[in-house]
Amino acid sequence: MRVLVLLSLFVLFGAMAGAAVGRFSGRGYAVAFVPFAATAIWALLNTGQAFTATVVQHHTWVGVLGLDLAFRFDPLAWIMTLVVSGVGAAIVIYCAFYFPPNAAGRARFAAIFTFFGGSMLGLVWSNHTLMIYTFWELTSVFSFLLIGHHYRSRTARAAARQAFVVTTFGSLAMFGGFMILGAGPGGSFQVDQLVARGAEGTLLQGHPVTLNVALVLVIIGILTKSAMLPFHFWLPAAMAAPTPVSAFLHAATLVKAGVYLALRFTPGFADVPVWSSLLTIFGAATLLVGGWLAIRQTDLKRVLAYGTVSQLGLITALAGYGNRATLLAALTLVLAHGTFKSCLFLTTGTVEKIAGSRDIRELSGVGRTHPVLATIGGLAAASMAGFPLTLGYLGKEAGIHNLLHQGAAGVILLAGIAAGSVLTAAYSLRWWFGAFGGKELPGHRLASLLSEKEAPVGSYPAVALIAVPGFLAAITVSGGFFPGSVNALTGPHADTQLEGYLATSNEAGHLALWSGLMPALITALILAGGCACFQWRGKIIRFAKKTALPETFRAANLYRVIMRNLEAVAGRVTSFTQSGSLPLDISIISTVFAIAVGGALCYALPTIQWGQVRLFDSFLQAIAIAILAGATIVVVRARRRMKAVLGLGAMGVGMATLWAVHGAPDLALTQLVVEAFTIVVFVLVLRFLPTHFTDRPLRSSRWLRLIIAVVAGVVTSGGVLLAAASRKENPVSELLPDEVLQFGYGHNIVNVILVDVRAWDTVGELSVLLIAVTGVTALIFRSGLISRLTVSAPSLRSSVAKAASRTSTNSRWLAGASALEEDRRSLMLEVAARILYPTLLVASVWLLLVGHNSPGGGFAGGMLAASALSIRYLAGGHYELTLAAPFSPGAILGLGLTIAAAAGLAPVLAGGAPFQTLPVDIPFGPLGTVHFTTAMGLDIGVYLVVLGLAVDILGALGAALDHDEEQGVQLVSARKGKTK
């Protein structure tokens, strides 16, 4: 199975998961479970390929720019895939029983959770730095939505925004580093080539400063994503998210992205001092600070959050140190942390379900009432503390054993790791004792005595809320009994770091339950020190409070100060540069353009051979230009809004005439159908506005704007003349007829460009169009009319039938028009609508089908269908529009965008590139063969999006206006009745 197919599964099942959970409640999570389970099974089935011959998949996209879809599945990717997909599958099962059936946003959570898992796997599999950046940003976006799941909570919104801002800041820095590494001498955007050239010393050879700058930028991305000093503050705040989110993001995915990048790049840049020293220093400092802060917390999740900060620091320090043994230890800790930390978070969620609280000061007796859960939590905490015979112990022991033989630098790092590990053991005990210990706390409620009202679930949670953490705890403990097997999994990637170092036993590293007397003694001292710190935790906490940094110098406060000042500066700059006056803004832009371009033209225009300049090529061009000029004067001088609209329509007809004369019938057709629909929209909007523009006296500012407009127009014309006179080579358009036929399988150059050459842009524009129309209709309905105007088609047909019964059958040309007042109906318009509507719809479908080879296409066909709907609306009001289009505009918009995206991915399944046009021939026996291309799907998507836009805009503007008009008619009738 290809990697792209797996990613498509996450997109497909993520889209279905929301609906499934909304419809079937907890059972709907089975849909979200499928892609995670399928990925884990696929990884296990391909273990041999990953460890014997690295699987690399490469799809050329834009070869000239080096933008390719490149994926790599090697031992490191295999480990991360199992961590992400395995832990993700377990958490999905947990979620099915964790959220109450009526929990708000449950369906939305399932979809976003699935999308996030796919984004993280895309990052892990990417073998192209720009793809890594893309998926990196996607994880930031989806984590923002997951952390802010409880969006009504101000705390959750602030935490989501903080996490997004910090990680995005780092990702932009990382992007700059990737660009330097890729575009510099000997550079590459392919990760495997980048790492290989870095190890060989050929990357940016002779430019050590540039290399160091690039690596520092990449390290900033690592530090922000993995919440290391000084960016550690965002992760504890992210505990505002639901507990399953914390288990996934902070144990297996989001924060592991930075660690993964460090592990991926270290074999290539370990010899670069700035890389190894910065990662080691920041990692060790984060280990100590995170552990020191964790032991002070009273909330179980915050203990684990700061513990995550500390553990990430440990893994990064070992990875950055840069030899095979420490890399082996870091990889082992990645496996351990993914299992024990997710288990601890899920156990905390179960404790909260049982006791209704996560506050250590309010919990007592849970271990006595739920000994199995307490045992599970104890095993996971033991692995986190590095207790022997656990997976966490294997990783720490390997690091300790190696650092003992690394000289002064190794001993210094070992001392920091030992001190941090003492704190780790202490907060592990604090977490377990706080969650399960039996303590008497006068004035606080005991979990064993909680009433049913206080306990959301009760004393006996669902089996899955205990079984899932138990499964994860079993992995983190059982892994410690098989060091050889774990070594076989983590060793291959660590082997890539062996070159460049002495292959001694200490340097090569190994995983073992017994590494010698000294490592065992250090481990024993660490555990004893952790027990002592926990025993004296009261004194330590009081000392920590006394010696804590002032609020002014804390990282979280510095972030708030920076954001507050940034917003203040942005406000001042905006108020200075944006006056709110559209004429002033346009005048400034036009003046700058005229000065900048006009100054250059003064030197170049004399070179133009004016004798060869032709004002027009044909009499029709002169007519079109005259129409444009006259219409422009009408629009500028118009005092009535309707007159200005008609002038704009005349300008559109003039432009269409120019397109047709110049041999561009496709553009002319599109211009005409757009003008036809936009005039209707203009008229609808104008009904909200006064009949006349504001009648201001003629002032000097008008003369100034007139001068600026004339000068800008002259400069633009001169620039066009100069550009045309400066051409030395044949235009690229001469190649287009053959190119579009060879690669796009069509004769309509314009359409092939839209659906093939720039198909990505087209889909992006469809997305923008969908967002824009949604925003416009939301603003229209903000007044609250939408609840009164939303009428189902069956009920509307019933009301229309009653109104029609009062009307002669022979005169009822349109059913919806029967519901209008007689003075609002037009027989001629109804007859025209009855005749033109089906004709225009058939013509719109014809334009859609023939657009690949003849004038037309999805956009032109959709606009013609929109014009047909506008005629039905003008004849019968919003009643008739609802009968003509009895469907949800949002559903049509979403369906169109989905079909367009699916058409882009379909060629990939056939071995092509995304949005590549492929011919399709379907035999129909004696009827012959139907021939079309995959680009037809994109055209259909465009058609549906335009159609949905028309229904949405007409329904919003027209229904609101009709409602106001009906209310006015009723008010006048009521007043006449009172007068009589």
Side-chain angles (χ1 to χ4, degrees):
M1 186 183 296
R2 290 179 175 270
V3 168
L4 279 176
V5 175
L6 291 173
L7 293 178
S8 300
L9 284 181
F10 279 91
V11 175
L12 177 63
F13 281 85
M16 297 190 299
V21 172
R23 179 70 176 82
F24 301 105
S25 190
R27 290 174 295 174
Y29 277 97
V31 176
F33 176 79
V34 170
F36 288 100
T39 303
I41 294 172
W42 173 82
L44 292 173
L45 293 177
N46 287 274
T47 302
Q49 284 185 306
F51 282 83
T52 57
T54 298
V55 180
V56 177
Q57 297 179 10
H58 191 275
H59 304 275
T60 300
W61 180 17
V62 185
V64 176
L65 300 179
L67 297 178
D68 301 323
L69 301 179
F71 300 98
R72 179 183 179 89
F73 191 64
D74 60 0
L76 177 59
W78 184 90
I79 291 173
M80 293 298 299
T81 299
L82 273 190
V83 171
V84 174
S85 59
V87 174
I91 293 175
V92 169
I93 297 174
Y94 185 91
C95 289
F97 299 90
Y98 177 81
F99 290 105
N102 58 347
R106 184 172 177 172
R108 181 183 71 251
F109 171 86
I112 296 173
F113 189 92
T114 308
F115 291 147
F116 177 84
S119 301
M120 184 65 194
L121 288 169
L123 189 156
V124 168
W125 293 331
S126 295
N127 193 42
H128 196 287
T129 52
L130 297 185
M131 283 184 60
I132 288 179
Y133 170 75
T134 301
F135 285 110
W136 192 285
E137 291 285 44
L138 283 176
T139 59
S140 295
V141 171
F142 290 125
S143 66
F144 168 81
L145 298 174
L146 290 173
I147 295 171
H149 175 74
H150 301 297
Y151 60 88
R152 298 185 185 276
S153 168
R154 183 177 180 181
T155 303
R157 295 197 305 271
R161 181 191 179 198
Q162 180 175 268
F164 184 75
V165 169
V166 173
T167 56
T168 302
F169 162 75
S171 66
L172 291 175
M174 181 189 70
F175 177 76
F178 284 164
M179 294 303 296
I180 295 173
L181 293 175
S188 174
F189 291 104
Q190 300 292 329
V191 175
D192 52 353
Q193 297 179 13
L194 199 63
V195 172
R197 295 174 188 177
E200 296 168 356
T202 58
L203 181 65
L204 295 177
Q205 193 171 14
H207 300 80
V209 175
T210 304
L211 178 61
N212 287 335
V213 170
L215 293 180
V216 167
L217 292 174
V218 174
I219 288 173
I220 291 174
I222 294 173
L223 297 182
T224 54
K225 201 73 164 184
S226 291
M228 285 184 279
L229 285 177
F231 309 104
H232 63 288
F233 57 89
W234 72 260
L235 193 148
M239 293 301 106
T243 299
V245 172
S246 302
F248 195 46
L249 268 64
H250 305 149
T253 53
L254 179 67
V255 295
K256 284 286 174 52
V259 170
Y260 163 77
L261 198 61
L263 291 169
R264 175 63 76 191
F265 275 28
T266 291
F269 302 107
D271 289 335
V272 181
V274 70
W275 177 268
S276 57
S277 59
L278 286 180
L279 287 181
T280 303
I281 292 171
F282 279 101
T286 304
L287 167 66
L288 294 169
V289 172
W292 181 252
L293 295 174
I295 202 173
R296 298 168 47 187
Q297 306 304 312
T298 57
D299 184 293
L300 292 177
K301 281 182 69 174
R302 290 184 71 84
V303 172
L304 296 179
Y306 281 107
T308 298
V309 171
S310 180
Q311 291 292 304
L312 293 173
L314 171 62
I315 297 172
T316 305
L318 289 172
Y321 189 77
N323 64 33
R324 183 189 184 279
T326 55
L327 198 60
L328 181 69
L331 283 165
T332 306
L333 288 174
V334 166
L335 283 173
H337 185 264
T339 51
F340 71 64
K341 189 54 65 73
S342 57
C343 173
L344 291 171
F345 271 115
L346 296 183
T347 303
T348 298
T350 305
V351 169
E352 186 179 13
K353 282 285 186 180
I354 296 169
S357 175
R358 301 194 308 258
D359 197 323
I360 290 174
R361 298 164 298 184
E362 298 178 351
L363 294 171
S364 179
V366 178
R368 185 170 59 253
T369 57
H370 296 80
V372 175
L373 185 63
T375 302
I376 291 171
L379 293 174
S383 183
M384 181 166 64
F387 198 81
L389 303 181
T390 63
L391 196 56
Y393 164 79
L394 289 182
K396 285 186 181 179
E397 191 77 357
I400 291 171
H401 176 254
N402 175 258
L403 292 175
L404 281 170
H405 303 85
Q406 295 300 313
V411 171
I412 293 173
L413 179 58
L414 176 59
I417 290 177
S421 298
V422 168
L423 296 173
T424 301
Y427 66 70
S428 299
L429 288 171
R430 179 166 176 76
W431 178 87
W432 188 90
F433 188 79
F436 301 105
K439 47 189 179 294
E440 296 295 334
L441 298 173
H444 294 280
R445 54 199 172 108
L446 302 180
S448 58
L449 300 177
L450 282 174
S451 65
E452 183 179 353
K453 180 179 179 181
E454 292 174 312
V457 172
S459 300
Y460 299 96
V463 174
L465 298 185
I466 296 178
V468 173
F471 167 74
L472 295 169
I475 294 177
T476 194
V477 172
S478 61
F481 288 91
F482 304 98
S485 300
V486 177
N487 194 95
L489 299 178
T490 57
H493 181 70
D495 289 339
T496 61
Q497 187 59 35
L498 189 61
E499 187 177 353
Y501 291 91
L502 296 175
T504 64
S505 59
N506 295 329
E507 197 69 59
H510 65 284
L511 299 178
L513 292 176
W514 176 264
S515 300
L517 179 61
M518 186 58 68
L521 179 60
I522 294 175
T523 299
L525 291 175
I526 288 172
L527 295 176
C531 293
C533 288
F534 173 72
Q535 186 66 30
W536 299 330
R537 61 190 179 280
K539 296 180 180 179
I540 293 175
I541 291 173
R542 287 191 292 272
F543 173 75
K545 290 181 178 179
K546 292 180 181 179
T547 58
L549 282 174
E551 182 70 22
T552 306
F553 299 104
R554 295 182 184 178
N557 184 68
L558 291 175
Y559 164 81
R560 288 190 291 269
V561 170
I562 291 173
M563 292 302 297
R564 187 165 54 246
N565 287 297
L566 184 62
E567 291 173 356
V569 171
R572 294 191 188 100
V573 172
T574 301
S575 63
F576 178 76
T577 58
Q578 302 293 327
S579 63
S581 172
L582 182 59
L584 178 60
D585 292 343
I586 295 177
S587 298
I588 293 174
I589 294 172
S590 301
T591 302
V592 173
F593 168 78
I595 294 174
V597 179
L601 287 177
C602 291
Y603 294 96
L605 283 178
T607 62
I608 297 178
Q609 298 179 7
W610 294 100
Q612 299 180 2
V613 175
R614 299 191 306 273
L615 295 180
F616 50 86
D617 294 322
S618 68
F619 184 69
L620 289 176
Q621 285 183 349
I623 293 177
I625 293 171
I627 294 174
L628 285 170
T632 302
I633 295 174
V634 169
V635 171
V636 172
R637 292 181 55 82
R639 300 267 59 86
R640 297 174 64 90
R641 298 182 189 274
M642 186 60 69
K643 184 178 180 181
V645 169
L646 293 177
L648 287 174
M651 292 173 64
V653 173
M655 286 299 302
T657 305
L658 279 179
W659 294 128
V661 171
H662 277 281
D666 206 311
L667 297 179
L669 175 64
T670 303
Q671 181 75 33
L672 288 175
V673 294
V674 168
E675 289 296 332
F677 180 72
T678 52
I679 285 182
V680 176
V681 176
F682 267 126
V683 172
L684 293 177
V685 173
L686 290 182
R687 290 169 64 184
F688 281 109
L689 303 174
T691 304
H692 292 77
F693 291 107
T694 303
D695 190 13
R696 295 179 297 176
L698 186 62
R699 298 185 301 179
S700 59
S701 61
R702 289 191 178 184
W703 291 108
L704 177 61
R705 290 199 293 270
L706 177 61
I707 294 172
I708 294 174
V710 171
V711 172
V714 170
V715 169
T716 302
S717 301
V720 172
L721 286 172
L722 180 62
S726 301
R727 173 176 288 166
K728 297 181 179 179
E729 301 293 338
N730 294 331
V732 295
S733 58
E734 294 180 356
L735 303 174
L736 288 178
D738 294 332
E739 296 285 339
V740 298
L741 184 60
Q742 180 181 357
F743 300 106
Y745 303 97
H747 292 87
N748 186 347
I749 297 175
V750 175
N751 183 264
V752 173
I753 288 175
L754 291 175
V755 299
D756 182 272
V757 178
R758 58 183 299 271
W760 283 95
D761 293 338
T762 301
V763 173
E765 290 164 1
L766 288 181
S767 305
V768 173
L769 189 63
L770 189 149
I771 295 170
V773 70
T774 303
V776 169
T777 52
L779 290 174
I780 294 172
F781 287 137
R782 187 174 177 83
S783 60
L785 287 175
I786 190 169
S787 60
R788 297 193 294 273
L789 297 174
T790 303
V791 183
S792 63
S795 62
L796 182 58
R797 289 193 183 96
S798 177
S799 62
V800 169
K802 293 179 181 178
S805 64
R806 303 190 299 269
T807 308
S808 173
T809 304
N810 294 331
S811 64
R812 183 163 57 87
W813 289 90
L814 296 178
S818 302
L820 297 177
E821 298 291 334
E822 287 298 329
D823 59 350
R824 295 180 59 200
R825 297 180 61 182
S826 170
L827 179 60
M828 292 182 62
L829 193 56
E830 290 179 27
V831 173
R834 182 68 177 266
I835 296 173
L836 291 177
Y837 179 72
T839 306
L840 291 178
L841 277 186
V842 172
S844 72
V845 175
W846 181 79
L847 288 176
L848 167 66
L849 296 177
V850 304
H852 206 60
N853 292 287
S854 302
F859 185 80
M863 290 305 302
L864 189 59
S867 301
L869 288 173
S870 67
I871 294 175
R872 288 283 291 266
Y873 165 73
L874 292 174
H878 71 276
Y879 301 105
E880 185 64 28
L881 179 64
T882 305
L883 293 177
F887 48 76
S888 168
I892 295 298
L893 287 167
L895 178 62
L897 188 60
T898 302
I899 291 176
L905 293 176
V908 177
L909 302 178
F915 290 104
Q916 178 183 351
T917 300
L918 297 178
V920 179
D921 295 306
I922 301 178
F924 277 87
L927 299 179
T929 301
V930 175
H931 174 79
F932 62 96
T933 65
T934 55
M936 174 62 70
L938 183 54
D939 249 346
I940 293 174
V942 172
Y943 181 94
L944 292 176
V945 168
V946 173
L947 184 63
L949 176 147
V951 176
D952 216 0
I953 293 295
L954 290 174
L957 288 172
L961 289 165
D962 289 348
H963 180 271
D964 291 342
E965 190 168 338
E966 290 169 3
Q967 292 292 97
V969 171
Q970 294 174 7
L971 181 59
V972 171
S973 300
R975 288 177 177 175
K976 288 181 180 179
K978 289 182 179 180
T979 303
K980 292 180 180 180

